[in-house]
Amino acid sequence: MTAPEETAELPGRTLIEQGAPVAGSMSRAAATVVFEPSAAKVTISASFAASLRTVATEAAGLPAPREQVRAGAALAFAVEYAATQHRAGRAARTDGWCDGRAGGRPAAEDLAEAVVAAARRSTDERRVRHLGYLLAEMSCSPDLDAGLAGRALRSSEGLSWRQLALLAGVGRRDRVPLPMAPLPDAPRPWSEWGAREDVADLQRAGLVDPPMSAPRPAATLPRLRAADLRLTRSGVLVHRLLALDLLHEDAVTEALAALGLPRS
């Protein structure tokens, strides 16, 4: 049996290839990068690839087929983003991120397992792409530690796709101005009410400023405008690690339209 035939039968490689319904045709190429790098057309850090091999192999026995799809897609997206960063000249971290630790395995593998678990639970599969991006972003971000990665992952798990799109819009407000019209406090249409609650939840979660204001009797507070929203430090962390700059502009436009606000 030849080496390519041997790697083709590896369950971890099969898992990444099974991500195709979510990640598309690049899943097969991503699996090659991880399990047969000499045959791949793009490159990622060897140590990061080793971490992905380990976690893909461990996750290959997932019982639910659609969970396998999402897990494989998250790892494929991680490969895609890591390869893009490598081509852009961003070096993989060399601070031991992918090395074993006393009494435990590498932080990279711990995070990869957590990302796979989050992807499995993401029934809105549009989120899976950005979970994979989080894993790859950490592989070239020596200024961030495992605790910060875990914080961003936990914060993002509670967010809907529309809330991610709203965060993306706030994060790019300097390039694409947000609407100046005030947000309605209690819109009548259910769809607009739900979108307004999404903004309020982002405020309550401490991801965007200004924070929620407590009602004051006999006082008129200025109405919040979309243009007033800014990322908090926590919001910047989530925005950076999920690479929300890459979230498609159409999704941001749709989220703002749900608020009943035109784009500026």
Side-chain angles (χ1 to χ4, degrees), residues 81 85 129-130 133 172 239 242-249:
Y81 188 82
Q85 298 310 301
R129 174 187 299 271
H130 293 274
Y133 288 175
R172 62 186 73 165
H239 187 279
L242 270 67
L244 294 182
D245 256 346
L246 301 180
L247 194 144
H248 202 281
E249 185 66 23

Side-chain angles (χ1 to χ4, degrees), residues 66-244:
R66 199 64 192 187
E67 289 187 6
Q68 290 181 341
V69 168
R70 292 194 285 265
L75 297 177
F77 283 126
V79 173
E80 175 199 35
Y81 188 82
T84 300
Q85 298 310 301
H86 180 81
R87 287 196 301 269
R90 280 187 79 189
R93 59 197 298 171
T94 57
D95 58 353
W97 176 249
C98 293
D99 298 337
R101 297 172 292 178
R105 61 181 180 172
E109 291 180 16
D110 282 346
L111 180 61
E113 181 182 346
V115 164
V116 164
R120 291 171 56 194
R121 295 189 292 268
S122 293
T123 53
D124 188 334
E125 294 175 344
R126 293 172 294 183
R127 302 174 71 258
V128 172
R129 174 187 299 271
H130 293 274
L131 292 171
Y133 288 175
L134 181 152
L135 183 56
E137 176 64 26
M138 280 299 299
S139 75
C140 51
S141 295
D143 59 321
L144 302 178
D145 60 24
L148 288 169
R151 176 181 292 276
L153 186 58
R154 289 191 299 273
S155 296
S156 67
E157 276 209 79
L159 302 180
S160 67
W161 175 250
R162 184 164 60 195
Q163 287 174 317
L164 290 179
L166 289 168
L167 273 184
V170 175
R172 62 186 73 165
R173 62 188 303 280
D174 292 337
R175 304 193 310 273
V176 185
L178 292 169
M180 297 293 292
L183 298 174
D185 292 325
R188 292 185 62 82
W190 279 111
S191 58
E192 292 182 17
W193 179 84
R196 182 66 183 88
E197 285 297 297
D198 281 345
V199 173
D201 285 344
L202 291 174
Q203 293 176 279
R204 295 185 190 103
L207 295 174
V208 297
D209 275 335
M212 291 289 292
S213 299
R216 292 182 295 173
T220 302
L221 298 175
R223 292 175 64 187
L224 178 68
R225 304 173 303 170
D228 297 327
L229 298 171
R230 285 167 172 75
L231 296 179
T232 64
R233 193 72 182 274
S234 293
V236 168
L237 179 68
V238 171
H239 187 279
R240 170 182 167 180
L241 282 181
L242 270 67
L244 294 182

Side-chain angles (χ1 to χ4, degrees), residues 14-58:
T14 299
L15 178 81
I16 296 178
E17 292 177 345
Q18 286 175 325
V22 173
S25 59
M26 68 93 175
S27 295
R28 184 176 294 274
T32 299
V33 172
V34 174
F35 283 92
E36 195 184 349
S38 62
K41 296 181 179 179
V42 299
T43 303
I44 65 174
S45 158
S47 57
F48 183 50
S51 296
L52 297 181
R53 278 196 300 274
T54 297
V55 173
T57 300
E58 291 173 349

